[in-house]
Amino acid sequence: AEAEAAAAAAKEAGTPEEAQPDKPDAADMDSGRARGGGSLMCTGKLGDVMLESSKIAHTLARRYARTVQPKSSFLERAVLHMHVPEGSTPKDGPSAGAAMVTSLLSLALGKPVRQHLAMTGEVSLTGLVLPIGGVKEKVIAAQRAGVKHIILPSANQRDWVELPDNLREGLEIHFVSTYDDVYQIALNYES
């Protein structure tokens, strides 16, 4: 499931600070950099819909990075490589979009993603976070991965409320409508 995303931030060298290869129910994502001009290469367990989501995520991350750090041109210049490892559950849906944007911004801004955080949500080119399916499965995967905070699209509040109490127990839920909401929780949590 795409619930677990960007479990650790990308270090300056483009490697995650804290990988979780032993958690096969969660989709891990790595973003790294190479030399060249502003492009994104994707490898691993990505179907056509996830490849499309990665392109949307790259476009949104480039635009959003300019609002957070106007002088930064990292995403405009860097050749990026996003990899979804073979060990992750293969999926082909758009719900990893928010996680992809977050992974790219973490790399570009040099900011670690909040620890013990999982997120899911399709993103639009304008930064809206759209509803997803499979909330129950994603919450179960997040619990197995030791997650404490979950970001879900606001449109999925009913799905959350309908979950049994034992699945919601111990989890802090954050409902979001825009990518700005995601950013504040995932990357701007210290301010």
Side-chain angles (χ1 to χ4, degrees):
E2 291 94 12
E4 178 71 352
K11 287 185 181 176
E12 203 170 341
T15 57
E17 288 182 337
E18 188 178 312
Q20 296 183 353
D22 59 332
K23 308 229 180 340
D25 289 338
D28 293 324
M29 213 172 294
D30 295 330
S31 294
R33 64 181 172 175
R35 297 193 186 273
S39 65
L40 177 66
M41 171 179 41
C42 296
T43 57
K45 292 287 188 176
L46 292 118
D48 290 342
V49 176
M50 282 187 75
L51 284 171
E52 182 178 289
S53 291
S54 71
K55 292 174 185 175
I56 292 169
H58 187 229
T59 299
L60 180 58
R62 287 170 71 155
R63 188 177 49 119
Y64 199 86
R66 286 191 302 268
T67 67
V68 177
Q69 288 185 355
K71 293 183 180 182
S72 174
S73 62
F74 176 81
L75 292 174
E76 305 293 330
R77 298 179 287 102
V79 174
L80 302 171
H81 185 166
M82 183 180 297
H83 180 69
V84 178
E86 294 292 322
S88 296
T89 304
K91 292 288 182 187
D92 190 24
S95 59
M100 290 176 174
V101 175
T102 302
S103 177
L104 292 169
L105 285 173
S106 173
L107 178 67
L109 303 175
K111 294 179 99 172
V113 176
R114 181 183 204 156
Q115 290 187 358
H116 309 290
L117 174 69
M119 67 184 75
T120 186
E122 178 178 0
V123 292
S124 73
L125 287 169
T126 60
L128 296 177
V129 179
L130 307 172
I132 49 85
V135 169
K136 181 178 181 179
E137 294 78 9
K138 290 173 176 134
V139 169
I140 290 170
Q143 283 187 327
R144 287 182 183 158
V147 165
K148 295 178 183 168
H149 305 274
I150 297 180
I151 295 175
L152 287 175
S154 293
N156 288 104
Q157 284 184 10
R158 181 176 176 178
D159 299 309
W160 171 259
V161 171
E162 291 175 354
L163 291 176
D165 289 341
N166 66 319
L167 290 182
R168 294 184 292 154
E169 189 174 302
L171 296 173
E172 183 177 335
I173 188 73
H174 304 272
F175 292 107
V176 298
S177 299
T178 66
Y179 186 77
D180 189 57
D181 299 333
V182 176
Y183 178 83
Q184 296 305 321
I185 297 160
L187 292 166
N188 204 32
Y189 51 91
E190 293 176 356
S191 58

